[in-house]
Amino acid sequence: MNKQIGIENAAQSSVEFGRRDLLKLTGAGVAALGAASLFSIPFAKAQDMSNGANNFYTSDQVTLEKTAFKSQYKMNVAGNLFIPNELDRNARHPALVVGHPMGAVKEQSANLYATKMAEQGFVAMSIDLPFWGESEGEARQIVSPDVYAEAFSAAVDFLGTRPFVDRNRIGAIGVCGSGSFVISAAKIDPRMRAVATVSMYDMGAANRDALNDSLSVEQRKQIIAAAAEQRWAEFEGGAVEYTGGTVHELTADTHPTQREFYDFYRTPRGEFTPASANSQITTHPTLTSNVKFMNFYPFNDIETISPRPMLFIAGDQAHSREFSEDAYKRAAEPKELVWVSGAGHVDLYDRVDLIPFDKLTSFFNQHLSA
């Protein structure tokens, strides 16, 4: 009970910090990221279920097995393993690991992708990144790009030791922030034989520069200084501060990008609160750890993934399209960039009428063939 109360108090403290300091420090850059204020001003809620929005999709064609496995850091990584009902378990098959958006958990987008790919005959597993959801890690909602990347390699360890998986035919899908984490992992783990990203965010560039390089170096330094100052308070027992994430209420002035995230994370369309959090802190990383993204450069040396193939999928209307363009430009062949007409960033989290599952299927069938 005390732990729960502590979380709630920390969340309220985070709101107060956001009001008096964070917006002043981050300016337009954070607004562009859809990660600004936590103001609690009531406003009409949105919920756009068009284009087949179906985050919590389930299928009678696949079987779900909950699992957990150790990373090299000896932390349990939680996974949902989706196995086609008609799978011959006496043979070996291709497999996929799927990572969720940054600040989300596997029940948001990753389960959907894993289920849909299992329907196409793949053994597919969604995972919770460490410090999030059902995966281990204290404190909760810590940012640690290296630990995140390791979780993908640990998932390969697990999948490649299943008797019905061909360890030479394992691929990976990263949605939003996990797109950058899976690239980071694949650069040093050649067992990931094919990599696809969807609505990718480069979480390093997003935090260093914001969208369209809208965050100045001086603003960046102020954010770093605020996080460093907060470390003193927390070391001495003060409440944990949270930052970023998704607004909890809409106002007349809410930025369109914030509205896009709100429609998924704060309505029944995609809202999910894991046992390790509460509704006031979901999607919000800790303030003191979030600056670790400033040192995260996932696209450096991306060309070394070649000759393993890479597929980048993004909406042609996505506010994040710059990250997929940048990664594609830097990557070596074979590579492919697919624009989904009319789709924004969050659309490709769950809108099954827009997500090109046929393209993902053909890509992995081609590159994970026996």
Side-chain angles (χ1 to χ4, degrees):
M1 180 176 291
N2 289 338
K3 184 175 182 181
Q4 183 67 17
I5 291 173
I7 291 175
E8 291 172 353
N9 288 342
Q12 180 60 35
S13 179
S14 177
V15 171
E16 294 305 319
F17 180 85
R19 285 173 172 167
R20 69 178 181 266
D21 293 317
L22 188 58
L23 291 182
K24 179 172 64 177
L25 290 174
T26 56
V30 166
L33 284 171
S37 77
L38 300 179
F39 290 121
S40 298
I41 303 173
F43 197 79
K45 290 191 174 183
Q47 186 185 2
D48 181 358
M49 299 298 291
S50 65
N51 294 302
N54 200 357
N55 178 69
F56 298 106
Y57 174 78
T58 59
S59 173
D60 58 7
Q61 301 176 46
V62 304
T63 299
L64 165 60
E65 297 181 3
K66 295 189 72 66
T67 188
F69 45 90
K70 294 286 187 183
S71 71
Q72 283 194 332
Y73 298 108
K74 303 306 178 186
M75 299 165 62
N76 270 331
V77 177
N80 284 340
L81 185 64
F82 296 88
I83 303 174
N85 291 342
E86 303 301 320
L87 189 84
D88 179 2
R89 296 200 182 207
N90 294 315
R92 294 186 180 272
H93 306 273
L96 301 170
V97 55
V98 183
H100 57 74
M102 178 61 203
V105 290
K106 62 185 179 301
E107 288 79 8
Q108 294 166 309
S109 192
N111 274 359
L112 169 62
Y113 274 77
T115 301
K116 286 290 189 178
M117 297 310 292
E119 286 183 336
Q120 300 303 314
F122 296 92
V123 176
M125 183 171 67
S126 62
I127 62 171
D128 277 328
L129 295 176
F131 309 107
W132 297 84
E134 295 179 303
S135 287
E136 286 187 340
E138 295 290 341
R140 302 307 295 168
Q141 297 173 213
I142 286 283
V143 167
S144 182
D146 181 63
V147 177
Y148 295 167
E150 160 60 21
F152 284 93
S153 288
V156 174
D157 295 339
F158 176 83
L159 289 170
T161 54
R162 300 310 94 191
F164 47 84
V165 169
D166 184 344
R167 65 174 53 181
N168 294 314
R169 291 193 287 160
I170 298 176
I173 301 173
V175 181
C176 187
S178 277
S180 60
F181 308 143
V182 75
I183 287 173
S184 181
K187 288 192 297 184
I188 57 172
D189 193 341
R191 300 174 303 166
M192 298 179 195
R193 304 306 293 268
V195 174
T197 69
V198 182
S199 286
M200 179 172 54
Y201 253 72
D202 174 349
M203 294 306 302
N207 281 271
R208 281 189 302 275
D209 308 313
L211 296 177
N212 302 312
D213 293 323
S214 58
L215 193 70
S216 71
V217 172
E218 184 57 36
Q219 287 174 314
R220 182 196 310 172
K221 289 180 178 180
Q222 291 179 45
I223 294 169
I224 293 170
E229 189 68 21
Q230 177 61 22
R231 290 184 67 120
W232 295 118
E234 293 181 17
F235 187 82
E236 294 179 325
V240 175
E241 301 276 10
Y242 295 85
T243 189
T246 305
V247 297
H248 290 260
E249 299 289 344
L250 297 179
T251 74
D253 298 324
T254 301
H255 190 279
T257 300
Q258 296 171 354
R259 291 178 180 275
E260 185 181 3
F261 284 114
Y262 179 96
D263 190 70
F264 181 80
Y265 287 112
R266 304 299 183 209
T267 77
R269 173 183 162 194
E271 185 172 14
F272 184 87
T273 302
S276 62
N278 66 46
S279 61
Q280 292 304 302
I281 63 171
T282 57
T283 78
H284 302 292
T286 64
L287 174 67
T288 55
S289 71
N290 196 63
V291 293
K292 290 180 170 58
F293 278 138
M294 304 286 190
N295 274 344
F296 182 47
Y297 294 84
F299 297 169
N300 285 4
D301 302 321
I302 190 175
E303 70 277 5
T304 62
I305 293 175
S306 177
R308 289 172 289 148
M310 301 193 72
L311 170 65
F312 306 99
I313 297 174
D316 65 358
Q317 304 302 308
H319 66 263
S320 59
R321 58 177 291 161
E322 64 185 89
F323 302 124
S324 293
E325 289 174 324
D326 186 23
Y328 176 76
K329 179 179 179 180
R330 299 190 194 200
E333 297 288 352
K335 60 182 179 180
E336 189 171 359
L337 176 59
V338 173
W339 296 115
V340 180
S341 178
H345 176 84
V346 178
D347 287 333
L348 300 187
Y349 285 11
D350 68 333
R351 297 194 189 281
V352 296
D353 293 348
L354 292 175
I355 299 169
F357 287 113
D358 54 346
K359 179 60 184 179
L360 286 165
T361 299
S362 63
F363 172 76
F364 286 115
N365 276 338
Q366 176 184 355
H367 298 293
L368 299 180
S369 59

